[in-house]
Amino acid sequence: MAQTILIVDDDPVQRRLLEAAITRSGMSVVTAPGGQPALDLLHGPRGEQIAIVLLDLVMPDMDGLTVLAKLRVSNPDLPVIVLTAKGGIDSAVEAMRAGASDFLVKPASPERITVSIRNSLKIGTLSGEVTRLKKKVDNRLVFDDLVAKSGEMRQVIRLGQRAAQSNIPILIEGESGVGKELVARAIQGSSERAGKPFVTVNCGAIPENLIESILFGHEKGSFTGATDKHLGKFQEADGGTLFLDEIGELRIDMQVKLLRALQEGEVDPVGGKRPVKIDVRIISATNRDLAERAREGLFREDLYYRLNVFPIFVPPLRQRREDVPLLARHFIARFAAEESKPVAGLTPEASDLIEKFEWPGNVRQLENTIFRAVVLCDGITLDVCDFPQIAAAMGVDAQIRRPVATAEAPLRVHQMNARAATPILEASPYAMSGTDAAGHMRKLEEVESEMIRMAISRYEGHMSEVARRLGIGRSTLYRKLKDFGLEHHLNEEPIDDAPRQAAS
C-alpha cells in the first residue's frame, strides 16, 4: 500500500533504471512505454492508485507535453515530473507552464529523483488538503471530496445526493467516528444552500441552563448575566443548515420547544416579545437508537417522526473494510506532508493488520492511529511495530520490525531479501538494549552487569564456562561479581563446575 509511481518512457533501459531507483526508496512502480498506454492506464481501474507521474518529454507516439495537456483535463491535481535528455531553459519553462511540478535532466541521480518525488507528493497533498479545508470553511464540501469507495458508502452517497435536492429533514444515524458530520456537510454543499451558513450544535455538550438561550437566543436583560442580545443557533443558520449532533441527548423539555420551532418555522428568543421567522434546513445525527429511546419515553415520539423523515445510516468502518486502505493512504499522505516525514505507505504486514482490525472507534480512531504511527516512524513505510496497540489487540508480535528499504541503504536490503542470504532474526530472550527507557545510551557498567547476569543464566551458573564465553579470567569474573553486587551467584554455583560444551 505504498505510493504508486507511474514511469512513462519509451526507452526500456531508462524505465528499468528509474524503476530500480524508485523501488529501492520504498515506493511501488508501474511503467508505460509511451504516452497513449500511460493515458489508458491512468483512465483505467488502476488510475486512482497512481500518486505521481514521471514523464519523458520526447517519445515517438505522443510527446510529453501532449500527454501532460491531456492529463491536466482529466487529472488536474496529479503531480507530474518531466524528464528529458535535452535540458534547456526553454524546455523547462514550457513544461512548467504546461503544469509540470518539476523538471529533471536525464540521467538524474536516484537521490535527486527521490527528493523530487517526495517534494511533489508533499506539495500535492498539502494543496489537496488546503482545497478541502477551503471547501469546508466555505460550506461547499461535496460527496466527491469524501474518501470512500465501498458499496456501503456508495449507497450513503446516493441517498445523500437525493436528499440534497430538497429541504427534507434528514436523520443521519451511525456510531461515533463514522463521519456523520462530513456526510451532512456534503449534503449542504451539494444542495442549493451551498455556501450558506452551516451551524453545528452538539446537543450533548450544551450546559442544561443554557440550552434554550444557545438554540433560540435571548434578549438583553432577559436573565441575570444577559448583558447583550444574543442570536441563537437557529438564527445564525438562517438561510443555511443547522446540524443537530447527538440529538438523542437533548432534554425532554427542550424537545418540545424544538418541535415547535420545526413545525412553525419560527423561534422564541428568551425574553423576546414576538417569534422570529427562520429559514433553516435541519440535519440531525445520533449514535443512539432513537426509536428505542422513544419507546422508553426518553425521546418524544412526535419529534422523532419529525426528524426521521429521510433517514441515512452510515455503517461502521468494520462493515466497509474496502475503505480502510483508501483512508489509510489518505491519512498517511496528509500527516507525512504536515509533519515533514518521508513515510510513503505501509508494509504488506501492516496493511493486513489494519484491514483485519475491528476499529471500534471507526474513522476517527484510524486517523489518530495513523497520525501517531507517522510521527513515531523513522523509516519510509509503516510496519507492524508502528501500531503496538493494534498489534497487541490482535495478538500479533510487534517487537521485531521487518527490514524495509530506506533511502540510505536500499540496495543491500533488497539483495538480502531477494537472495535470502541472511534470515530474519527471531526474538531472543538474551537480547539486550543499548538504550534506556528515555532513549539515551546506557552506562557501560550497566551493560556489563546485565551481560554477566545473562551469561550466568544462559550457562546455568557454571562460572568457568561463563568466564570462558565472556573472554575473561575466572578471578576477573569473581571481582566483577563483587563490584556489581552479584556475589550471591557464587553461592549458587553448581558443585561440578567442570567446563561444558555449550551449543554455539
Side-chain angles (χ1 to χ4, degrees):
M1 218 169 80
Q3 299 279 8
T4 300
I5 312 298
L6 172 61
I7 299 173
V8 186
D9 199 315
D10 62 309
D11 186 348
V13 175
Q14 285 294 327
R15 288 202 304 271
R16 285 196 297 271
L17 290 173
L18 289 170
E19 182 176 4
I22 295 171
T23 302
R24 287 197 298 267
S25 67
M27 293 174 273
S28 60
V29 175
V30 292
T31 62
Q36 191 57 51
L39 292 174
D40 293 340
L41 186 61
L42 286 164
H43 296 153
R46 297 185 63 186
E48 64 179 18
Q49 302 174 8
I50 295 172
I52 196 167
V53 178
L54 265 66
L55 179 63
D56 187 20
L57 204 57
V58 180
M59 294 181 290
D61 68 327
M62 185 185 300
D63 66 86
L65 291 177
T66 303
V67 176
L68 188 55
K70 293 186 177 183
L71 190 58
R72 282 290 163 255
V73 176
S74 57
N75 297 276
D77 298 325
L78 183 64
V80 177
I81 299 174
V82 169
L83 300 124
T84 181
K86 300 178 180 179
I89 293 191
D90 292 341
S91 300
V93 170
E94 191 175 6
M96 301 303 279
R97 282 179 176 173
S101 58
D102 202 351
F103 183 90
L104 301 179
V105 178
K106 296 190 291 187
S109 67
E111 293 78 10
R112 176 68 178 89
I113 294 171
T114 302
V115 168
S116 179
I117 289 175
R118 297 206 184 284
N119 288 341
S120 297
L121 288 174
K122 181 177 180 180
I123 292 171
T125 301
L126 291 177
S127 176
E129 195 63 25
V130 168
T131 301
R132 189 177 292 105
L133 289 173
K134 189 174 186 301
K135 283 186 174 183
K136 185 176 179 180
V137 170
D138 293 340
N139 299 319
R140 295 184 181 277
L141 199 73
V142 295
F143 287 102
D144 287 341
D145 296 315
L146 302 185
V147 182
K149 69 172 184 179
S150 63
E152 293 80 3
M153 283 304 294
R154 284 199 295 269
Q155 174 64 14
V156 171
I157 291 172
R158 281 195 293 269
L159 289 174
Q161 289 172 335
R162 290 187 178 184
Q165 298 172 8
S166 69
N167 286 320
I168 189 170
I170 300 169
L171 177 63
I172 304 176
E173 299 175 290
E175 297 178 6
S176 293
V178 294
K180 298 187 290 293
E181 183 176 342
L182 280 179
V183 173
R185 287 185 177 276
I187 292 173
Q188 150 98 349
S190 303
S191 71
E192 61 182 9
R193 294 177 183 260
K196 301 294 180 60
F198 183 94
V199 179
T200 300
V201 179
N202 190 328
C203 298
I206 306 176
E208 290 190 3
N209 59 332
L210 296 177
I211 292 178
E212 186 174 4
S213 172
I214 289 175
L215 287 179
F216 307 122
H218 64 254
E219 296 293 332
K220 180 179 180 180
S222 56
F223 55 85
T224 303
T227 57
D228 294 298
K229 179 179 179 179
H230 171 71
L231 295 179
K233 297 297 183 181
F234 273 87
Q235 295 183 62
E236 287 181 23
D238 192 33
T241 301
L242 181 63
F243 179 61
L244 300 174
D245 197 10
E246 306 302 345
I247 186 66
E249 308 299 329
L250 195 62
R251 256 179 22 206
I252 287 288
D253 59 329
M254 291 308 304
Q255 293 177 21
V256 178
K257 297 184 178 182
L258 176 60
L259 178 62
R260 171 177 170 77
L262 298 180
Q263 289 178 338
E264 304 298 330
E266 60 185 27
V267 295
D268 290 306
V270 178
K273 296 181 180 179
R274 60 181 65 85
V276 178
K277 281 289 183 181
I278 52 169
D279 174 24
V280 174
R281 191 215 182 112
I282 298 295
I283 301 179
S284 308
T286 181
N287 59 1
R288 302 286 194 98
D289 186 346
L290 286 189
E292 180 64 26
R293 289 179 67 81
R295 287 191 291 269
E296 295 173 354
L298 300 175
F299 197 84
R300 290 186 61 94
E301 193 171 2
D302 48 1
L303 178 59
Y304 170 69
Y305 291 131
R306 181 71 184 180
L307 297 174
N308 193 37
V309 181
F310 196 103
I312 297 177
F313 175 72
V314 182
L317 195 55
R318 61 182 174 274
Q319 293 180 11
R320 45 185 175 109
R321 296 186 185 274
E322 289 179 68
D323 291 336
V324 174
L326 196 65
L327 288 164
R329 282 199 298 269
H330 169 74
F331 291 139
I332 288 172
R334 170 183 152 195
F335 292 131
E338 290 178 0
E339 300 297 321
S340 298
K341 303 282 282 189
V343 181
L346 293 127
T347 64
E349 293 82 1
S351 178
D352 185 61
L353 178 74
I354 66 171
E355 287 185 46
K356 290 182 178 178
F357 189 61
E358 290 296 313
W359 297 110
N362 296 293
V363 180
R364 185 180 294 119
Q365 183 185 9
L366 174 62
E367 179 181 12
N368 293 333
T369 300
I370 294 292
F371 191 9
R372 177 186 183 278
V374 169
V375 169
L376 297 180
C377 181
D378 293 324
I380 58 175
T381 52
L382 300 180
D383 208 342
V384 173
C385 64
D386 295 309
F387 302 95
Q389 296 173 329
I390 305 301
M394 297 282 289
V396 176
D397 182 14
Q399 298 302 314
I400 305 301
R401 184 182 179 96
R402 184 180 67 84
V404 295
T406 63
E408 292 78 14
L411 185 57
R412 175 173 54 83
V413 175
H414 276 275
Q415 288 174 342
M416 288 169 59
N417 291 338
R419 300 175 186 174
T422 304
I424 297 174
L425 296 178
E426 299 293 337
S428 170
Y430 300 104
M432 186 171 63
S433 174
T435 57
D436 58 20
H440 301 296
M441 299 304 297
R442 298 170 61 193
K443 295 180 179 179
L444 284 175
E445 62 180 20
E446 293 179 3
V447 176
E448 189 176 13
S449 174
E450 183 178 348
M451 182 173 290
I452 290 174
R453 290 197 302 270
M454 289 168 55
I456 292 172
S457 174
R458 183 178 181 90
Y459 301 113
E460 301 175 356
H462 292 81
M463 296 304 173
S464 296
E465 186 69 9
V466 171
R468 188 172 71 85
R469 290 294 178 178
L470 292 178
I472 58 178
R474 186 161 172 156
S475 60
T476 303
L477 175 61
Y478 288 161
R479 178 174 54 79
K480 289 184 178 293
L481 288 174
K482 292 179 181 179
D483 292 342
F484 297 140
L486 304 175
E487 301 98 324
H488 62 278
H489 287 291
L490 295 175
N491 300 325
E492 299 170 0
E493 182 177 5
I495 296 175
D496 179 15
D497 194 19
R500 60 188 181 87
Q501 296 296 324
S504 297

